[in-house]
Amino acid sequence: MIDYQTRLKQAAEALAEAEIILVGAGAGLSSAAGLEYSGPRFTANFAPFIARYGFTDMYTAGFYPFKTQEEFWAYWARHISLNRFEPPAEPLYQELRKVIGTKDFFVITTNVDGQFLKAAFPDEKLFPVQGDYAYFQCAKACHDRTYYNEEQVKAMVANTHECRIPSGLVPVCPNCGGPMAVNIRKDQYFVQDKGWHEAQHRYQDTINLVLSRKAVLLEIGVGFNTPVIIRYPFEQIVFNNSQARLVRINRDYPEGSPDNIDRTLSFGENILEVISSLSETSQ
Ligand SMILES: [Zn+2]
């Protein structure tokens, strides 16, 4: 592998020459930004839930089959509040915004924590394909609207006692009267509302541009959980456009596709370190 400083220089040059930057971001980005789902951040914030249910981290806790809505929402309100509403724009996301600078760009992300919005990436440049913690939907997707939940989540957190919320705070579908869910893709009932479809169209339009331009595809923290959403399509785009470069930053799986190896710059180094270095050179 080429040494780190040379790869950094090549990535910085590719970004400087790019007519458009397509960012693809996965869980590894938010994790590197400090929004860890396990370890001290988890244990410090979920002690009563850990004592009651034996939870080990926020990923697996999110799949726990709570027996009542009151318990379900007590956990989820805490989870949403901690990951979506309480954190400011993390420095890593702010550094990434600087890397983009004034270039034309678009972001597709599987992250549902709203960090791109907080770090001044405009809404119309984002496609959060897997949803957003800040919205509720009908759990059975009986209609395709989503509902901003910040005030409800705050009320639930403030009124949680013994890992339950009061029954009066349990959200109810305004259409069918059934339970609500968080608008994140976890089963076949994920609601893709009007905003989701508009973002998808803008993403498709961007891909059409990227296919014919001098483009950099900047993929960060995307592993093999759902590679068909970002990782494989990005490799395909670079394969189909000889002017495109893939900059892949991934602690565990930085390697490029053999078909594009000469057009891929791989970074297994610390994400914050790589992005901060690129942001310095882009000033
Ligand atoms: Zn409903």
Side-chain angles (χ1 to χ4, degrees), residues 137-143 172-180:
Q137 61 160 85
C138 173
K140 291 295 175 212
C142 78
H143 66 299
V172 174
C173 175
N175 189 51
C176 72
M180 297 289 268

